[in-house]
Amino acid sequence: CVTVHWPMLQALSGSEDQSLRLWDLQSGENLKELRGHTGWVQCLSAEPCFGRALSGSTDKTLLLWDLQQGTSLKEFRTPCFCEVTCLSTNWTEERFIC
């Protein structure tokens, strides 16, 4: 999965290797690698300014990330204890659904 911030020419990708990676689209350089999930990262959403991101995984969790620091801020477990395959966020109201 991937989301792109076109004005900054950066992309955030999630992978089967359990990581998220922040990319510079001009150089192709991997700027940051974020680790915290223990399963495949299947979906993600980033704030419009790319300050924070939310990722969902087959490990049945969602992780809220600080993209500038490269750290996980909070973990959410799904109420049904099922894999997270999709999510939608409202960053203004700090809400999400998966």
Side-chain angles (χ1 to χ4, degrees), residues 30-44:
N30 179 6
L31 302 172
K32 284 193 174 99
E33 182 176 334
L34 296 85
R35 293 208 168 261
H37 283 293
T38 58
W40 185 355
V41 179
Q42 295 201 319
C43 53
L44 56 86

Side-chain angles (χ1 to χ4, degrees), residues 3-72:
T3 187
V4 177
H5 187 286
W6 290 109
M8 291 174 59
L9 291 175
Q10 291 184 343
L12 182 66
S13 64
S15 177
E16 188 175 337
D17 73 358
Q18 306 170 356
S19 73
L20 280 78
R21 295 174 198 263
L22 186 62
W23 300 93
D24 180 306
L25 294 178
Q26 277 190 307
S27 68
E29 180 185 359
N30 179 6
L31 302 172
K32 284 193 174 99
E33 182 176 334
L34 296 85
R35 293 208 168 261
H37 283 293
T38 58
W40 185 355
V41 179
Q42 295 201 319
C43 53
L44 56 86
S45 174
E47 279 183 309
C49 66
F50 258 42
R52 295 180 298 171
L54 187 66
S55 59
S57 171
T58 58
D59 66 9
K60 304 174 185 167
T61 66
L62 295 114
L63 293 178
L64 179 64
W65 300 92
D66 179 321
L67 294 179
Q68 305 308 312
Q69 298 296 318
T71 57
S72 174

